[in-house]
Amino acid sequence: MLIHSVTVSLDGLEDNHNWLRNNPKSFERAIRALELIVSYPRLNYDVVTCVHQNNLAELPALKEFLIAKKIKNWRIFTIAPIGRASEDPEMLLSSGQMRKLMDFIAESRQNDNRINLYFSCESYVGDYEKTVRDSYFFCRAGSNIGSVLIDGSISACPNIDRCFVQGNIYNDNLFDIWENRFDVMRNRNWCKTGICKNCKDYKHCNGGAMHLWNENQDCIMTCVADKLNHR
Protein backbone atom coordinates (compact mmCIF):
# COMPACT_ATOMS: atom_id res chain seq x y z
CA MET A 1 0.00 0.00 0.00
CA LEU A 2 1.33 3.42 -0.98
CA ILE A 3 0.98 6.55 1.16
CA HIS A 4 -0.23 9.52 -0.85
CA SER A 5 -0.99 12.11 1.83
CA VAL A 6 0.80 13.06 5.06
CA THR A 7 0.16 15.63 7.79
CA VAL A 8 2.83 16.57 10.33
CA SER A 9 2.10 18.56 13.48
CA LEU A 10 4.53 21.37 14.25
CA ASP A 11 3.18 23.38 17.16
CA GLY A 12 5.64 26.25 17.30
CA LEU A 13 9.41 26.50 17.36
CA GLU A 14 11.35 23.96 19.37
CA ASP A 15 10.57 24.93 22.98
CA ASN A 16 6.85 25.51 22.42
CA HIS A 17 6.39 22.45 20.24
CA ASN A 18 8.10 20.20 22.77
CA TRP A 19 6.10 21.78 25.62
CA LEU A 20 2.80 21.03 23.93
CA ARG A 21 3.81 17.52 22.84
CA ASN A 22 5.47 16.84 26.22
CA ASN A 23 8.51 15.28 24.60
CA PRO A 24 11.98 16.91 24.41
CA LYS A 25 12.75 15.15 21.10
CA SER A 26 9.42 15.74 19.36
CA PHE A 27 10.49 18.86 17.42
CA GLU A 28 13.67 17.23 16.13
CA ARG A 29 11.74 14.19 14.91
CA ALA A 30 9.01 16.28 13.30
CA ILE A 31 11.59 18.30 11.35
CA ARG A 32 13.34 15.14 10.21
CA ALA A 33 10.01 13.79 8.94
CA LEU A 34 9.24 17.04 7.12
CA GLU A 35 12.59 17.06 5.38
CA LEU A 36 11.96 13.54 4.10
CA ILE A 37 8.42 14.39 2.99
CA VAL A 38 9.45 17.53 1.10
CA SER A 39 12.13 15.54 -0.73
CA TYR A 40 9.48 13.18 -2.16
CA PRO A 41 7.47 15.14 -4.78
CA ARG A 42 4.67 12.58 -5.21
CA LEU A 43 3.32 13.14 -1.69
CA ASN A 44 0.54 15.56 -0.83
CA TYR A 45 1.27 17.03 2.57
CA ASP A 46 0.69 19.87 4.96
CA VAL A 47 1.92 21.10 8.32
CA VAL A 48 -0.62 21.58 11.10
CA THR A 49 -0.03 23.99 13.98
CA CYS A 50 -2.15 24.04 17.12
CA VAL A 51 -2.08 27.63 18.37
CA HIS A 52 -2.11 28.36 22.09
CA GLN A 53 -1.19 31.32 24.28
CA ASN A 54 2.52 30.46 24.36
CA ASN A 55 3.12 30.13 20.61
CA LEU A 56 0.79 32.81 19.22
CA ALA A 57 3.47 35.52 19.17
CA GLU A 58 6.00 33.34 17.36
CA LEU A 59 3.76 32.50 14.38
CA PRO A 60 5.58 34.99 12.08
CA ALA A 61 8.93 33.37 12.96
CA LEU A 62 7.43 29.91 12.51
CA LYS A 63 6.14 30.93 9.08
CA GLU A 64 9.63 31.99 7.99
CA PHE A 65 11.03 28.74 9.37
CA LEU A 66 8.54 26.67 7.37
CA ILE A 67 9.22 28.64 4.19
CA ALA A 68 12.95 28.07 4.65
CA LYS A 69 12.21 24.34 4.91
CA LYS A 70 10.32 24.56 1.57
CA ILE A 71 6.94 23.81 3.15
CA LYS A 72 4.10 24.83 0.81
CA ASN A 73 0.92 24.15 2.83
CA TRP A 74 0.29 25.27 6.42
CA ARG A 75 -2.95 24.65 8.30
CA ILE A 76 -3.70 26.33 11.62
CA PHE A 77 -5.93 25.08 14.43
CA THR A 78 -6.88 26.44 17.80
CA ILE A 79 -7.23 24.02 20.71
CA ALA A 80 -10.61 22.88 22.00
CA PRO A 81 -11.10 22.21 25.74
CA ILE A 82 -10.69 18.45 25.35
CA GLY A 83 -8.38 16.18 27.34
CA ARG A 84 -5.65 18.03 29.25
CA ALA A 85 -6.61 21.25 27.46
CA SER A 86 -9.82 21.26 29.54
CA GLU A 87 -7.65 21.85 32.62
CA ASP A 88 -4.92 24.10 31.20
CA PRO A 89 -5.96 27.70 30.40
CA GLU A 90 -2.63 28.35 28.62
CA MET A 91 -3.86 26.21 25.74
CA LEU A 92 -6.99 28.28 25.08
CA LEU A 93 -7.07 31.67 23.33
CA SER A 94 -8.94 34.71 24.62
CA SER A 95 -11.20 36.74 22.32
CA GLY A 96 -8.40 39.25 21.68
CA GLN A 97 -5.88 36.50 20.96
CA MET A 98 -8.31 34.80 18.61
CA ARG A 99 -8.66 38.05 16.63
CA LYS A 100 -4.87 38.38 16.47
CA LEU A 101 -4.70 34.88 15.04
CA MET A 102 -7.38 35.57 12.44
CA ASP A 103 -5.68 38.83 11.45
CA PHE A 104 -2.34 37.04 11.07
CA ILE A 105 -3.86 34.41 8.79
CA ALA A 106 -5.81 36.96 6.75
CA GLU A 107 -2.79 39.25 6.29
CA SER A 108 -0.53 36.36 5.30
CA ARG A 109 -3.05 35.05 2.76
CA GLN A 110 -3.45 38.47 1.21
CA ASN A 111 0.17 39.59 1.11
CA ASP A 112 2.44 36.53 1.15
CA ASN A 113 2.21 33.89 -1.58
CA ARG A 114 5.28 31.98 -0.44
CA ILE A 115 3.14 29.56 1.58
CA ASN A 116 -0.50 28.46 1.40
CA LEU A 117 -1.80 29.28 4.89
CA TYR A 118 -5.38 28.67 5.94
CA PHE A 119 -7.51 28.16 9.05
CA SER A 120 -8.74 24.65 9.74
CA CYS A 121 -12.29 23.32 9.49
CA GLU A 122 -12.58 23.66 13.25
CA SER A 123 -15.25 26.33 13.56
CA TYR A 124 -17.23 29.04 11.83
CA VAL A 125 -15.51 32.42 12.26
CA GLY A 126 -18.12 34.93 11.08
CA ASP A 127 -16.82 37.78 8.95
CA TYR A 128 -13.32 36.26 8.89
CA GLU A 129 -14.65 33.38 6.75
CA LYS A 130 -13.97 35.42 3.63
CA THR A 131 -10.31 35.96 4.49
CA VAL A 132 -8.92 32.91 6.34
CA ARG A 133 -10.13 30.02 4.14
CA ASP A 134 -10.62 29.17 0.49
CA SER A 135 -14.28 28.32 1.14
CA TYR A 136 -16.90 28.73 3.86
CA PHE A 137 -16.78 26.58 6.98
CA PHE A 138 -18.23 23.10 6.63
CA CYS A 139 -17.73 20.22 9.07
CA ARG A 140 -17.23 17.22 6.78
CA ALA A 141 -17.38 14.65 9.58
CA GLY A 142 -19.80 11.90 8.64
CA SER A 143 -20.85 13.67 5.43
CA ASN A 144 -17.83 12.98 3.26
CA ILE A 145 -15.28 11.88 5.85
CA GLY A 146 -15.39 8.56 7.68
CA SER A 147 -12.79 6.79 9.79
CA VAL A 148 -12.06 3.38 11.22
CA LEU A 149 -10.54 3.85 14.66
CA ILE A 150 -7.86 1.68 16.23
CA ASP A 151 -10.39 -0.66 17.87
CA GLY A 152 -12.40 -1.08 14.66
CA SER A 153 -15.03 1.51 15.60
CA ILE A 154 -16.61 3.28 12.64
CA SER A 155 -16.85 7.02 13.09
CA ALA A 156 -15.76 10.18 11.27
CA CYS A 157 -13.04 12.55 12.48
CA PRO A 158 -11.07 10.74 15.22
CA ASN A 159 -11.47 13.81 17.49
CA ILE A 160 -15.23 13.24 17.81
CA ASP A 161 -16.61 11.96 21.09
CA ARG A 162 -16.84 8.17 21.08
CA CYS A 163 -20.59 8.42 21.77
CA PHE A 164 -20.98 9.15 18.03
CA VAL A 165 -19.49 5.82 16.91
CA GLN A 166 -21.77 4.26 14.27
CA GLY A 167 -20.64 0.63 14.31
CA ASN A 168 -17.57 -1.59 14.22
CA ILE A 169 -15.89 -3.28 11.27
CA TYR A 170 -15.64 -6.54 13.20
CA ASN A 171 -19.41 -6.75 13.43
CA ASP A 172 -20.79 -4.48 10.68
CA ASN A 173 -20.41 -3.88 6.98
CA LEU A 174 -18.55 -0.60 6.47
CA PHE A 175 -20.38 0.29 3.24
CA ASP A 176 -23.77 -0.40 4.84
CA ILE A 177 -22.89 1.77 7.85
CA TRP A 178 -21.79 4.64 5.58
CA GLU A 179 -24.93 4.44 3.46
CA ASN A 180 -27.50 3.99 6.22
CA ARG A 181 -26.22 5.57 9.43
CA PHE A 182 -24.41 8.81 10.34
CA ASP A 183 -27.75 10.67 10.58
CA VAL A 184 -26.57 12.43 13.73
CA MET A 185 -23.77 14.04 11.72
CA ARG A 186 -25.67 14.65 8.48
CA ASN A 187 -28.76 16.21 10.03
CA ARG A 188 -27.57 18.74 12.58
CA ASN A 189 -30.97 20.12 13.63
CA TRP A 190 -30.37 18.73 17.12
CA CYS A 191 -27.54 21.28 17.53
CA LYS A 192 -29.95 24.20 17.30
CA THR A 193 -30.07 24.74 21.05
CA GLY A 194 -28.59 27.10 23.62
CA ILE A 195 -26.72 29.98 21.99
CA CYS A 196 -27.24 28.30 18.59
CA LYS A 197 -31.04 28.32 18.87
CA ASN A 198 -31.69 31.82 17.52
CA CYS A 199 -28.35 32.47 15.84
CA LYS A 200 -28.63 34.30 12.51
CA ASP A 201 -25.55 32.44 11.24
CA TYR A 202 -26.78 28.94 12.02
CA LYS A 203 -27.36 28.23 8.32
CA HIS A 204 -23.61 28.73 7.76
CA CYS A 205 -22.38 27.02 10.92
CA ASN A 206 -24.85 24.20 11.74
CA GLY A 207 -23.57 24.11 15.29
CA GLY A 208 -19.89 24.09 14.38
CA ALA A 209 -17.53 21.14 14.31
CA MET A 210 -18.76 17.77 15.56
CA HIS A 211 -15.80 17.35 17.92
CA LEU A 212 -17.14 20.26 20.00
CA TRP A 213 -20.26 18.30 21.03
CA ASN A 214 -20.29 15.79 23.88
CA GLU A 215 -22.33 12.71 24.75
CA ASN A 216 -25.06 14.90 26.30
CA GLN A 217 -25.29 16.79 23.00
CA ASP A 218 -23.98 19.93 24.67
CA CYS A 219 -21.41 22.17 23.02
CA ILE A 220 -18.21 22.22 25.10
CA MET A 221 -16.87 25.47 23.68
CA THR A 222 -18.03 29.08 23.39
CA CYS A 223 -19.10 30.05 19.87
CA VAL A 224 -15.94 31.25 18.11
CA ALA A 225 -17.79 33.70 15.84
CA ASP A 226 -19.47 35.20 18.91
CA LYS A 227 -16.11 35.34 20.66
CA LEU A 228 -14.58 37.25 17.75
CA ASN A 229 -17.41 39.81 17.79
CA HIS A 230 -16.84 40.76 21.45
CA ARG A 231 -14.09 43.30 22.00
Side-chain angles (χ1 to χ4, degrees):
M1 182 174 68
L2 296 177
I3 294 175
H4 296 283
S5 180
V6 180
T7 294
V8 175
S9 292
L10 197 68
D11 302 308
L13 298 175
E14 187 166 9
D15 288 346
N16 273 317
H17 173 88
N18 288 344
W19 171 79
L20 185 64
R21 296 296 161 180
N22 199 26
N23 186 324
K25 295 184 178 180
S26 180
F27 182 84
E28 174 188 340
R29 292 169 177 171
I31 296 305
R32 193 184 319 150
L34 282 173
E35 289 171 347
L36 288 171
I37 290 165
V38 169
S39 70
Y40 191 68
R42 292 182 60 185
L43 279 174
N44 293 316
Y45 70 90
D46 65 358
V47 168
V48 165
T49 298
C50 294
V51 178
H52 49 81
Q53 292 187 23
N54 294 331
N55 69 0
L56 176 63
E58 73 181 19
L59 289 180
L62 181 58
K63 181 175 78 168
E64 295 302 323
F65 179 85
L66 293 174
I67 291 169
K69 291 290 182 181
K70 299 183 169 59
I71 302 300
K72 299 298 183 184
N73 298 298
W74 186 20
R75 184 162 38 122
I76 282 183
F77 283 77
T78 54
I79 300 177
I82 299 171
R84 66 188 176 106
S86 64
E87 301 175 353
D88 190 343
E90 286 185 286
M91 294 189 183
L92 307 180
L93 300 182
S94 67
S95 296
Q97 290 166 333
M98 184 69 75
R99 284 192 294 275
K100 286 182 180 179
L101 174 60
M102 294 296 110
D103 289 339
F104 168 75
I105 297 172
E107 192 278 332
S108 292
R109 285 172 59 85
Q110 182 176 358
N111 299 316
D112 193 345
N113 61 7
R114 295 176 299 164
I115 191 167
N116 178 28
L117 170 60
Y118 54 101
F119 190 52
S120 71
C121 59
E122 176 185 350
S123 55
Y124 176 71
V125 292
D127 291 341
Y128 281 102
E129 286 289 327
K130 303 171 185 176
T131 59
V132 299
R133 293 190 182 102
D134 293 335
S135 58
Y136 256 63
F137 166 79
F138 171 55
C139 180
R140 301 179 182 277
S143 294
N144 51 19
I145 290 179
S147 297
V148 176
L149 307 182
I150 193 169
D151 63 351
S153 295
I154 301 168
S155 188
C157 170
N159 288 335
I160 293 172
D161 194 289
R162 293 301 187 263
C163 71
F164 296 111
V165 164
Q166 301 296 296
N168 192 288
I169 58 169
Y170 295 113
N171 304 311
D172 304 296
N173 180 279
L174 179 60
F175 181 78
D176 181 65
I177 295 293
W178 181 254
E179 289 294 304
N180 298 300
R181 298 192 192 176
F182 286 95
D183 286 348
V184 70
M185 302 178 200
R186 295 170 184 172
N187 183 344
R188 299 287 297 277
N189 288 338
W190 58 271
C191 295
K192 202 165 187 180
T193 183
I195 60 173
C196 296
K197 187 173 184 179
N198 298 310
C199 178
K200 64 181 178 59
D201 287 328
Y202 187 82
K203 62 184 178 181
H204 301 303
C205 176
N206 283 312
M210 277 295 304
H211 72 270
L212 300 178
W213 293 85
N214 65 19
E215 60 184 353
N216 299 317
Q217 297 191 346
D218 295 324
C219 189
I220 63 172
M221 188 171 171
T222 304
C223 172
V224 173
D226 187 59
K227 199 174 185 180
L228 289 166
N229 288 332
H230 285 79
R231 299 183 178 274

